[in-house]
Amino acid sequence: MVTFAYTIAGSEATGGAGFQVDLKTFQQLGVYGSGALTCIVSFDPKNNWGHRFVPVDPQVIHDQIEAALSAQDIDTVKIGMLGTPATIATVAEALSSQKWKNIVLDPVLICKGQEPGAALDTDTALREKILPLATVATPNYFEACTLSGIEKLESVEDLAEAARRVSELGPRYVIVKGGIDFPGDEAVDVLWDGEKITVYSEPKIGQERVSGAGCTLAAAITAELAKGTDIHEAVHVAKAMVTSGIKARVEAHTPFATVWQGAYQS
Ligand code: PXL
């Protein structure tokens, strides 16, 4: 029997992040993917690869979700970049049209290279309308600070505290990704499952940011949960996929290389 997973995310035209990464990750883990596009991001090569961002009309977002959820029995969804308060309201309403087993929220506030200020109203809408519906959230360093109110994450205990605080906003499971901003030689992620912290650590591969790592991690967790994998094992698989994908990263003319999901072998 085929396992389905759904993604509600933005297109990043170079294939290094967002919707494209989600579908590649689902496929690599043997899960049939479909999804709704929330926005289209086209980096501008003539303007330092700045983000050209076009939101999809809310009615069109609604229609895409209606089509997929009517066509197939889908109980697991990943939510990536939403981008505007209007999109967030539409997605929140669409999610409430059925029951879900897993709602994995990658709380994308800003992308690499974007201005932090632009995210404030989106941040508020995400916190109020989507986080309470999520069963899993995967904030990165910056998103964990913003959502938890902690200024700096300097130790594993800080990551753990941020995860616990984000969990109080709704999601039962929170994975905080330390990434390149977390001090030290290890890429550390922590999972708070409501009772205890599990630490996932791998040596950092280089000191440069890689595009698509966060999307890949959340999409891989989503695919594994869709298959019925337990959350601790799902994060373990996802971390292994991201690590192998960064080792095999694809260089580009953009400021960041991107994760290669095809490198992962289970
Ligand atoms: O990596 C975050 C991200 C997610 N989704 C889309 C993006 C980006 C970053 O560029 O463009 C569509």
Side-chain angles (χ1 to χ4, degrees):
M1 226 188 42
V2 172
T3 300
F4 295 101
Y6 196 65
T7 177
I8 301 175
S11 165
E12 191 277 87
T14 73
F19 192 86
Q20 289 86 341
V21 161
D22 293 343
L23 291 188
K24 284 184 264 192
T25 303
F26 291 171
Q27 183 81 12
Q28 191 70 13
L29 293 172
V31 169
Y32 183 104
S34 58
L37 279 184
T38 55
C39 59
I40 298 177
V41 172
S42 316
F43 298 154
D44 185 353
K46 296 190 288 305
N47 182 25
N48 204 21
W49 304 97
H51 286 52
R52 291 178 292 199
F53 166 85
V54 179
V56 171
D57 184 277
Q59 182 65 45
V60 178
I61 297 172
H62 167 273
D63 293 351
Q64 293 175 80
I65 297 173
E66 181 185 41
L69 299 188
S70 306
Q72 272 141 358
D73 296 324
I74 296 171
D75 62 15
T76 296
V77 60
K78 182 207 146 172
I79 300 169
M81 184 169 174
L82 298 175
T84 75
T87 298
I88 288 170
T90 302
V91 169
E93 200 182 315
L95 286 176
S96 59
S97 69
Q98 69 159 58
K99 276 204 160 33
W100 298 92
K101 239 191 234 160
N102 308 292
I103 299 181
V104 180
L105 174 63
D106 192 17
V108 179
L109 295 178
I110 53 161
C111 295
K112 294 176 185 66
Q114 253 187 323
E115 288 298 317
L120 270 183
D121 55 350
T122 304
D123 168 21
T124 306
L126 199 71
R127 184 195 295 266
E128 288 176 358
K129 297 211 164 99
I130 307 285
L131 253 184
L133 304 175
T135 57
V136 182
T138 61
N140 64 19
Y141 184 104
F142 167 77
E143 292 149 0
C145 288
T146 306
L147 293 170
S148 69
I150 301 175
E151 209 173 301
K152 272 195 225 155
L153 305 174
E154 294 181 312
S155 64
V156 171
E157 183 42 45
D158 289 349
L159 297 176
E161 179 59 19
R164 284 190 288 263
R165 289 201 199 176
V166 174
S167 172
E168 283 166 13
L169 304 172
R172 172 167 177 201
Y173 303 122
V174 178
I175 298 101
V176 172
K177 304 170 283 187
I180 212 91
D181 296 316
F182 186 72
D185 297 331
E186 293 281 309
V188 184
D189 303 322
V190 303
L191 163 64
W192 169 245
D193 65 10
E195 286 176 2
K196 64 178 189 309
I197 288 287
T198 307
V199 179
Y200 301 83
S201 186
E202 287 286 339
K204 281 180 184 169
I205 303 158
Q207 291 298 322
E208 299 292 322
R209 283 170 203 283
V210 177
S211 163
C215 299
T216 305
L217 189 91
I221 292 171
T222 306
E224 287 301 313
L225 292 177
K227 291 192 255 181
T229 307
D230 141 88
I231 185 72
H232 301 88
E233 176 61 15
V235 177
H236 177 76
V237 169
K239 177 92 174 164
M241 184 162 187
V242 170
T243 302
S244 67
I246 293 177
K247 283 185 183 149
R249 63 192 172 276
V250 179
E251 298 297 337
H253 303 302
T254 50
F256 310 107
T258 96
V259 172
W260 170 229
Q261 292 77 23
Y264 178 74
Q265 299 299 330
S266 52

